[in-house]
Amino acid sequence: MTPTQLRAYSAVARLGSVKRAARELDVSEAAVSLHIGKLRKTFDDRLFVPTAAGLSFTPGGLRLAVRAIELLGLQDRTLREVSQARHRSRLLRVATSSVFAEYAAPGLLDLFVSRADDLDVELSVHNTGRFDELLRERAVDVAIGPEREFDAGLSGQTILNYEVLTVVGRSHPLAGNRTDLARLREQTWLLGPSAMDRIGLVPSVLRRLEIPEGRQRLFQSHAAALEEVKKGRGVGLAPGFSVAADLASGALVTPKGPPVRTKGSWSAVRDGCHDPSGVVAEFLRFATTPRATQAMLHGSGVHRGRFRPAVHVTLWNQAN
């Protein structure tokens, strides 16, 4: 059983046909079929058969599809780690929810990489519903998002407790006035990308208050949404620590009426098979320290060596 055979089988299982797998791998259909044939001989299992609806996998074929993803991910990780060891560098890949990435991740990661010269951290933002999949496929090393139940084989720990506040601008009709659920549902809600998730405090608040989708306006970032909230153009939701200064100055106000504070936690989740002495364990130990908590709430207070933003991926390290 070779990586090439597993890669061909994984592509067939994921795409549902030998033809599409061959196109993705840029090889002939005969080559893919040859790899599948060798795997069938190795396991003495047909693995899958064509049907009118697509491919029908045997129980062994389904198990192999899962293991192929894990083994290929482990191979890629091993190649990367060996290369990093040769160049005396380490890489930690962190997936986070959009709220954590915008408000808490910069301070945490800045401070973490400041502790070592050989450490890089790559951050990617994902829908929290994909976290388990990303960890199982070893596409990321750690996933940080709303505390929840995890798949078997994954383990998590709480790294920060926080609360989400309902806020309006000082010129908004709800500022300083008592409101009720009916009136809240009539407002325009100005929201960041976290409103599109199924898991997390923001979507749970919207569901609990039964805010109609037609009353929700989504922005590319939570900061952009809050800027519109400050102008009195709607109601917003934000982590309490991120708007403390605006509440103190009066730029934002929490309306009176239904509960405006909803408490929750962020947790860091990893694959339980990770080496407990590696960079993942080092990061998790650090993330629960008082210094890390202050960095998430207030920023790191350290010089940022290099920070290269992208649409979905950013990289922290200490190189100048």
Side-chain angles (χ1 to χ4, degrees):
M1 184 174 62
T2 68
T4 302
Q5 293 168 2
L6 292 175
R7 192 164 283 107
Y9 184 78
S10 179
V12 171
R14 178 164 42 84
L15 299 172
S17 83
V18 171
K19 183 176 182 178
R20 285 195 288 269
R23 186 182 304 119
E24 180 180 275
L25 297 173
D26 196 24
V27 298
S28 66
E29 293 181 42
V32 173
S33 296
L34 178 63
H35 294 316
I36 299 300
K38 290 182 178 179
L39 288 173
R40 284 171 166 161
K41 185 175 181 180
T42 297
F43 292 104
D44 190 22
D45 190 317
R46 295 193 68 184
L47 302 179
F48 63 83
V49 294
T51 68
L55 300 180
S56 176
F57 288 82
T58 67
L62 290 174
R63 180 62 60 88
L64 179 60
V66 173
R67 288 289 182 256
I69 292 174
E70 294 177 350
L71 290 170
L72 291 170
L74 183 59
Q75 180 195 33
D76 292 342
R77 180 179 178 83
T78 302
L79 291 171
R80 185 174 60 255
E81 289 178 345
V82 171
S83 176
Q84 290 166 5
R86 186 173 68 251
H87 296 95
R88 296 184 179 180
S89 66
R90 296 176 294 161
L91 175 65
L92 177 70
R93 301 165 302 162
V94 182
T96 75
S97 64
S98 58
V99 177
F100 188 88
E102 191 166 340
Y103 291 117
L108 175 66
L109 299 183
D110 279 348
L111 190 58
F112 181 60
V113 299
S114 72
R115 302 162 70 249
D117 294 332
D118 66 339
L119 181 62
D120 293 342
V121 177
E122 180 185 272
L123 171 70
S124 56
V125 180
H126 300 272
N127 185 302
T128 52
R130 291 199 60 216
F131 281 179
D132 292 357
E133 171 192 350
L134 292 168
L135 289 165
R136 285 198 307 270
E137 295 179 358
R138 301 184 186 274
V140 300
D141 304 307
V142 179
I144 303 177
E147 198 159 52
R148 58 189 175 81
E149 293 184 359
F150 316 115
D151 280 0
L154 303 180
S155 61
Q157 64 185 57
T158 301
I159 62 171
L160 186 67
N161 296 313
Y162 72 108
E163 59 185 6
V164 162
L165 304 183
T166 303
V167 293
V168 296
R170 71 178 81 191
S171 63
H172 192 275
L174 295 185
N177 295 320
R178 180 162 294 278
T179 186
D180 55 29
L181 288 177
R183 195 174 182 195
L184 281 176
R185 293 176 188 133
E186 295 172 354
Q187 305 302 313
T188 298
W189 287 70
L190 310 176
L191 306 163
S194 61
M196 300 179 64
D197 283 355
R198 293 183 299 103
I199 303 170
L201 283 192
V202 170
S204 69
V205 169
L206 295 173
R207 287 193 297 268
R208 190 179 74 246
L209 299 181
E210 299 181 356
I211 306 302
E213 287 190 11
R215 292 290 183 181
Q216 301 178 29
R217 287 183 57 199
L218 301 183
F219 291 78
Q220 188 175 7
S221 70
H222 300 90
L226 280 178
E227 284 303 311
E228 295 300 300
V229 173
K230 291 177 186 177
K231 297 174 184 177
R233 295 174 179 171
V235 180
L237 293 169
F241 66 86
S242 71
V243 294
D246 290 319
L247 291 171
S249 68
L252 290 173
V253 180
T254 54
K256 301 175 182 178
V260 295
R261 298 174 183 268
T262 303
K263 295 183 178 181
S265 302
W266 279 312
S267 62
V269 188
R270 68 169 180 174
D271 187 328
C273 297
H274 271 301
D275 180 0
S277 64
V279 66
V280 173
E282 179 184 343
F283 173 74
L284 293 179
R285 286 192 295 270
F286 169 76
T288 57
T289 63
R291 288 189 67 203
T293 299
Q294 289 302 308
M296 286 185 275
L297 296 176
H298 305 298
S300 65
V302 302
H303 171 70
R304 178 175 292 172
R306 187 175 71 194
F307 172 44
R308 297 189 298 176
V311 176
H312 294 294
V313 176
T314 54
L315 180 70
W316 274 262
N317 68 30
Q318 285 302 104
N320 289 317

